[in-house]
Amino acid sequence: RRHDAYGELGRVAHECVIAARPASESKPREIAAAGPKWVQWQTKGGKRLGSGTAVLMVPAGVSQVVALDTRRGGRATVDIRGGAADYAKLGRGKLQVRAAPFADVFLGSEALGGTPFAPVDLVEGSYVVTFRHDGKEQRERIEVKAGQTVRASASFE
């Protein structure tokens, strides 16, 4: 009988490849999500997975989820390859607003106040800023990046 070293090595290598395949490729999996109660976790396609701090059942093959801030309307993409999503660990940037002559400013459904005011800290993501002055309204879509200040402005003159 002949010893076949390559046959045994091939079988071991095949077992290693199978063991290394992430579970996310073949079936839904649970991830731990942490965030304030007003954060809604969704797939990129908009399927609701849960809110706040919860265990989420994530569809097969998904490596990112969306954290939707239901108060401010912000949408941030969160990598979940580590098996968790933590809203507090997302990058932060600032929003600076200007309005001429002045305006009431809203971020999603949250009133930020009348201009002028200090820059606002935000989780990175996309938002819509609404300016209201004397019965008129202007909107601007912004993208907040970690460590940066984004400016939004409106003119009612």
Side-chain angles (χ1 to χ4, degrees):
R1 183 170 157 183
R2 204 171 72 156
H3 181 269
D4 187 359
Y6 292 110
E8 179 64 19
L9 181 60
R11 186 185 65 76
V12 172
H14 178 71
E15 287 173 2
C16 290
V17 170
I18 291 171
R21 183 176 295 145
S24 63
E25 288 182 14
S26 60
K27 61 183 179 178
R29 71 187 194 288
E30 291 182 347
I31 66 157
K37 63 184 177 184
W38 60 85
V39 170
Q40 186 179 98
W41 302 99
Q42 303 177 343
T43 63
K44 284 189 169 186
K47 179 183 175 193
R48 187 166 185 240
L49 301 171
S51 297
T53 297
V55 175
L56 310 178
M57 183 59 71
V58 179
V62 171
S63 62
Q64 296 179 323
V65 293
V66 173
L68 173 64
D69 181 334
T70 59
R71 293 182 322 165
R72 292 183 163 180
R75 299 177 62 83
T77 301
V78 183
D79 190 318
I80 58 168
R81 284 181 278 223
D86 189 347
Y87 193 76
K89 291 183 179 178
L90 294 176
R92 301 249 190 284
K94 291 187 183 290
L95 166 64
Q96 185 176 52
V97 297
R98 298 283 185 256
F102 60 89
D104 291 322
V105 181
F106 297 82
L107 196 58
S109 63
E110 184 179 344
L112 298 181
T115 58
F117 54 84
V120 178
D121 289 328
L122 294 175
V123 168
E124 62 185 347
S126 59
Y127 298 84
V128 174
V129 181
T130 304
F131 296 87
R132 292 184 185 146
H133 173 79
D134 199 23
K136 297 177 186 170
E137 184 174 285
Q138 290 182 23
R139 293 176 185 233
E140 185 174 342
R141 180 167 295 281
I142 60 164
E143 189 71 32
V144 176
K145 304 262 188 221
Q148 296 181 355
T149 298
V150 64
R151 289 168 182 78
S153 61
S155 177
F156 295 96
E157 298 181 315

